[in-house]
Amino acid sequence: MKLHMQILIALGLGIKRNGHIFLGLIAGIILGIAMHAYNATHEPTAIYNVLYAVLNFIGQAFIRLIQMVIIPLVFSAIVIGISSIGDNKQLGAFGIKMVVYYSIISIAAVIIGLTLAWAIHPGNGVQSFISQESAVETQQIVSQAIADQKGHFSQLLINLIPANPMEALSKGEMIPIIIFIMVFAIALAKVGEINRPVVSFFESIFAATMKVTDGIMYLAAPGIFALTATAISSFGISVFSSISKYFLAIFIGFAIQLFVVYPIIMKVFSKVPVRLFFAAIAEAMMVGFGTASSSATLPLVIACCEKRGISHKVCSFVLPLGVTLNFDATAMFQVIAVLFLTQAYGISVEPLQILQIAVLAIVASSTCAGIPGGGIITIALVLNGLGLTPTQMVEGFAFLFAVDRIVDMFRTMLNITSDAVVTAVIADNENELNYDMLTSEESYKDII
Ligand code: ASP
């Protein structure tokens, strides 16, 4: 059987196991389309407004509950991960493999994105559509985002080092937080036995946050239902037809990444069975899709990977870092979106600028936050210096913003899948993957 069919079947099995979440997802899509259609032809009635407010409340409550556990989870996972790895050699091996695999995946993503944007020309002839569609309010929001990022590249990097870790923690700035935790955890690993009380403290925190996550996951089906319905209701599907080539390029790119690149990485660098592994992380993929937030999906990715055989050591080190720094699907989307805008405005792009777009997309995507819309905000960095006028930039950016949610749901699903794939490959390489657990039916019960 062809590999993509096997993967689809594996995902189908994962979905069947968690039929309630899948049902929530589908029902959310249908309700969202119906609400959008209603809204387009009627003045919103009181019932409509109440329905929207209730859905919004449920969706936001679900996502905030998960966000609530992210910082203690990331903090404790990295401290345990690094201190349990202990010796410098193994830590170095994990680190180098992470950088190598994530780089291969991201470079593949931008090359695929560039090729598709060049072959499909998604932006040709859509300039007038972009101008009419961009609402004035959105333009104001995005012009601020562009202004914030323009020309401050070195400042952006400097800001990643937290002058005050407590401030970074309170603001939830993930990269500065991770830099602080890593420095702290490496030092902790080096001080020897004296670190025991602190490590035990974080072990308890980790166990407790995973327990809280188990509880929150009971709300996954209504949460995903509500999030999807509100997202689709403000978006609709009519926009697909007007810029179908844009969506076509993005979705073909995502499909290649999911069905070709990830399996090749698994097959070439490890003996992880592709079909089984997709089945193992299907719940996390659905939650990634529904929440459009890699950070919010982190607890569930950890649960899927650990309960299905990847050691705690590898999961607690590689996954929090991957979820914060690896956004391959976002990088692919940014490349396609930027070329879409240059094509729409008839701006020719030189070969050197293509290289610049590719490199900046990898950098910009890794500095993005794993939250809904995180990747579209950092796109301003990639748009710099391409010759778009300020008006075109704001207008184009606002347009992308308006149609972004559905793309965001798919790219988040891919972002977390690649995190899990790299984790599994490293675990295989380092003999940290228990294949009996991965293949045992018992491991597939009771995640959500
Ligand atoms: N929402 C994405 C994520 O959390 C980031 C993005 O907007 O591309 O992975």
Side-chain angles (χ1 to χ4, degrees):
M1 202 188 313
K2 288 258 164 53
L3 187 62
H4 65 275
M5 278 313 290
Q6 292 186 21
I7 294 174
L8 285 175
I9 291 171
L11 290 176
L13 289 176
I15 287 167
K16 193 166 146 233
R17 239 177 12 244
N18 295 286
H20 56 303
I21 299 197
F22 188 64
L23 221 63
L25 198 64
I26 298 296
I29 293 175
I30 294 171
L31 180 63
I33 294 174
M35 285 169 74
H36 182 80
Y38 181 83
N39 219 3
T41 49
H42 299 73
E43 278 300 305
T45 59
I47 296 186
Y48 178 93
N49 288 338
V50 170
L51 175 66
Y52 187 89
V54 171
L55 290 172
N56 197 34
F57 178 82
I58 299 173
Q60 291 308 311
F62 174 65
I63 216 160
R64 289 180 74 105
L65 277 169
I66 312 186
Q67 281 168 340
M68 183 177 81
V69 295
I70 301 300
I71 291 188
L73 181 70
V74 168
F75 211 125
S76 53
I78 296 183
V79 170
I80 303 171
I82 292 186
S83 53
S84 65
I85 296 169
D87 80 289
N88 285 348
K89 257 214 194 122
Q90 201 178 22
L91 190 63
F94 280 17
I96 291 172
K97 286 196 170 130
M98 246 177 71
V99 173
V100 170
Y101 293 141
Y102 282 137
S103 304
I104 296 176
I105 283 186
S106 297
I107 292 170
V110 293
I111 292 176
I112 293 167
L114 288 170
T115 313
L116 287 167
W118 169 78
I120 296 179
H121 281 288
N124 283 6
V126 299
Q127 182 185 351
S128 60
F129 188 76
I130 292 182
S131 321
Q132 319 150 17
E133 284 289 307
S134 308
V136 177
E137 320 89 72
T138 332
Q139 294 196 4
Q140 277 162 359
I141 303 172
V142 294
S143 51
Q144 187 56 44
I146 293 175
D148 287 348
Q149 291 195 25
K150 216 172 168 184
H152 294 310
F153 188 59
S154 61
Q155 194 55 40
L156 205 77
L157 292 183
I158 284 286
N159 288 346
L160 298 183
I161 304 172
N164 178 353
M166 292 306 149
E167 189 188 341
L169 279 172
S170 71
K171 288 189 181 157
E173 293 166 342
M174 287 316 282
I175 300 182
I177 293 176
I178 296 246
I179 290 177
F180 168 67
I181 308 173
M182 289 195 61
V183 171
F184 175 75
I186 291 172
L188 206 59
K190 287 197 180 303
V191 296
E193 269 308 290
I194 200 176
N195 70 14
R196 261 333 291 167
V198 179
V199 175
S200 306
F201 171 78
F202 281 111
E203 279 167 357
S204 307
I205 293 200
F206 181 80
T209 43
M210 289 311 280
K211 263 270 165 292
V212 176
T213 306
D214 286 349
I216 298 170
M217 283 307 147
Y218 283 112
L219 300 176
I224 300 291
F225 165 71
L227 283 169
T228 316
T230 44
I232 305 275
S233 73
S234 56
F235 174 77
I237 46 169
S238 55
V239 74
F240 271 108
S241 54
S242 329
I243 48 159
S244 51
K245 279 185 171 179
Y246 171 69
F247 289 108
L248 188 72
I250 286 184
F251 291 131
I252 292 181
F254 286 176
I256 296 176
Q257 192 76 348
L258 187 64
F259 295 121
V260 181
V261 176
Y262 300 159
I264 288 181
I265 300 277
M266 282 193 264
K267 281 188 182 268
V268 171
F269 296 106
S270 74
K271 47 184 191 314
V272 177
V274 174
R275 193 188 62 77
L276 202 59
F277 190 68
F278 274 92
I281 57 164
E283 291 97 335
M285 291 173 75
M286 279 191 283
V287 172
F289 183 85
T291 57
S293 168
S294 304
S295 301
T297 316
L298 175 65
L300 195 62
V301 195
I302 294 185
C304 286
C305 290
E306 280 198 12
K307 291 187 186 169
R308 285 152 197 172
I310 300 181
S311 78
H312 182 59
K313 209 186 215 180
V314 174
C315 285
S316 57
F317 179 65
V318 181
L319 282 173
L321 289 179
V323 162
T324 316
L325 298 169
N326 167 55
F327 292 91
D328 57 316
T330 301
M332 181 192 287
F333 146 77
Q334 290 184 335
V335 163
I336 296 176
V338 164
L339 288 179
F340 165 81
L341 290 182
T342 56
Q343 290 164 358
Y345 290 116
I347 293 167
S348 66
V349 181
E350 306 298 319
L352 213 60
Q353 282 177 316
I354 296 205
L355 190 67
Q356 173 191 326
I357 294 175
V359 173
L360 283 182
I362 294 180
V363 176
S365 63
S366 2
T367 60
C368 97
I371 53 171
I376 192 131
I377 300 292
T378 54
I379 218 173
L381 198 70
V382 193
L383 276 174
N384 273 332
L386 289 181
L388 269 76
T389 65
T391 317
Q392 287 174 337
M393 257 178 122
V394 171
E395 200 177 76
F397 197 81
F399 169 77
L400 294 174
F401 207 80
V403 299
D404 190 53
R405 181 61 185 223
I406 192 81
V407 178
D408 195 4
M409 292 165 112
F410 279 99
R411 64 179 186 253
T412 307
M413 183 176 85
L414 263 77
N415 286 337
I416 64 108
T417 304
S418 62
D419 296 329
V421 164
V422 168
T423 308
V425 172
I426 295 180
D428 168 273
N429 298 170
E430 299 287 319
N431 287 328
E432 297 281 345
L433 206 168
N434 180 337
Y435 279 94
D436 292 338
M437 267 171 92
L438 184 64
T439 46
S440 142
E441 292 210 350
E442 272 306 297
S443 311
Y444 290 82
K445 292 184 181 149
D446 286 347
I447 283 221
I448 327 186

